[in-house]
Amino acid sequence: MPDDLKIQSLLDEREIASVVNGWGSARDQSDWERLRACYHEDGEMHIMWTADSADTFVERLRARPPALPGEQQKHQVGPPDIRLAGDRAVSEAHISLFSRLLIDGIAFDFTAWIRFFDLFAKRAGAWRIAKRTAIYEKDRMDPVNPSEVPSGYFEGMDLSGYPEACKFMCYRHSKHGLHPSPGLATAGSAAEAALRAEGERWLTGE
């Protein structure tokens, strides 16, 4: 590869990585304008509780009630693995999601291992997300103070209707009336295989 193409590839990868990392910062800081700017105008977001346009995703976040005292959330974003093909790219980044939330008046720490599988496009000289899909690997739910958990609390939790990879996330979202999106992608699933096939088609321009 000629040096000028190598340099351009490095610049493209750096810009894509900046968008991937910037998404996490904007999401955690409730910077809705910056978060929306990570996507193209027709960008899509596919996660546990929504499979819709980026506009709808951001507006639903904006409309949420403020966090209760003591609640907090952080997306720890790993370096993305990026594949370039002209003005298109596929990026995959590991995400660790740490949340402290009150469920039934009890403080719990939630941890989730997720991968963001992104279809990127360069339009008008700018790389942005065309479609982001979360692939869920595993999660857990731990009481901050176990002595506050009533006897039989965990035994009474019905997790049978949720994917094993994100059952605790689904449970906590159900407390707010949210339910898993159809076609939710989990590690090793048919949905993940279809997603990777879509990524290959994206890189070839289909």
Side-chain angles (χ1 to χ4, degrees):
M1 180 184 295
D3 287 345
D4 57 340
L5 292 180
K6 290 181 180 178
I7 293 171
Q8 185 58 54
S9 293
L10 290 171
L11 292 173
D12 289 338
E13 289 180 5
R14 181 173 180 177
E15 184 175 349
I16 290 169
S18 179
V19 173
V20 172
N21 290 323
W23 185 98
S25 296
R27 173 66 185 86
D28 292 339
Q29 296 169 18
S30 301
D31 188 340
W32 308 130
E33 298 307 318
R34 184 182 178 197
L35 184 66
R36 181 61 185 87
C38 292
Y39 301 84
H40 280 299
E41 185 174 328
D42 56 351
E44 299 177 17
M45 186 66 173
H46 297 256
I47 54 174
M48 196 223 80
W49 53 270
T50 189
D52 214 318
S53 68
D55 279 336
T56 299
F57 166 66
V58 173
E59 289 309 311
R60 289 182 69 180
L61 287 175
R62 193 196 301 265
R64 282 184 175 181
L68 296 173
E71 290 189 329
Q72 52 189 297
Q73 182 170 262
K74 180 175 288 294
H75 293 77
Q76 185 172 311
V77 182
D81 179 24
I82 300 168
R83 298 168 60 198
L84 292 167
D87 288 342
R88 292 189 175 195
V90 170
S91 167
E92 187 168 2
H94 289 276
I95 309 293
S96 297
L97 174 58
F98 303 100
S99 307
R100 175 163 293 183
L101 299 168
L102 294 176
I103 305 295
D104 298 324
I106 307 166
F108 288 97
D109 282 335
F110 291 84
T111 308
W113 290 262
I114 307 166
R115 281 173 280 133
F116 277 158
F117 190 88
D118 298 333
L119 306 184
F120 267 85
K122 188 177 185 180
R123 301 176 188 166
W127 286 100
R128 297 290 185 269
I129 299 168
K131 180 181 179 182
R132 164 162 284 186
T133 306
I135 303 171
Y136 295 90
E137 296 183 336
K138 63 178 181 177
D139 67 346
R140 62 180 294 144
M141 172 182 177
D142 299 286
V144 175
N145 185 351
S147 66
E148 295 180 351
V149 181
S151 176
Y153 181 87
F154 287 106
E155 290 80 358
M157 291 171 56
D158 183 9
L159 306 176
S160 60
Y162 304 135
E164 179 66 24
C166 53
K167 60 186 179 182
F168 296 113
M169 288 186 70
C170 291
Y171 175 77
R172 71 177 176 87
H173 281 303
S174 74
K175 294 291 185 175
H176 301 284
L178 300 174
H179 303 286
S181 299
L184 187 72
T186 58
S189 66
E192 180 183 4
L195 193 61
R196 296 195 176 281
E198 181 184 11
E200 295 302 316
R201 294 193 298 273
W202 177 259
L203 291 174
T204 60
E206 294 183 31

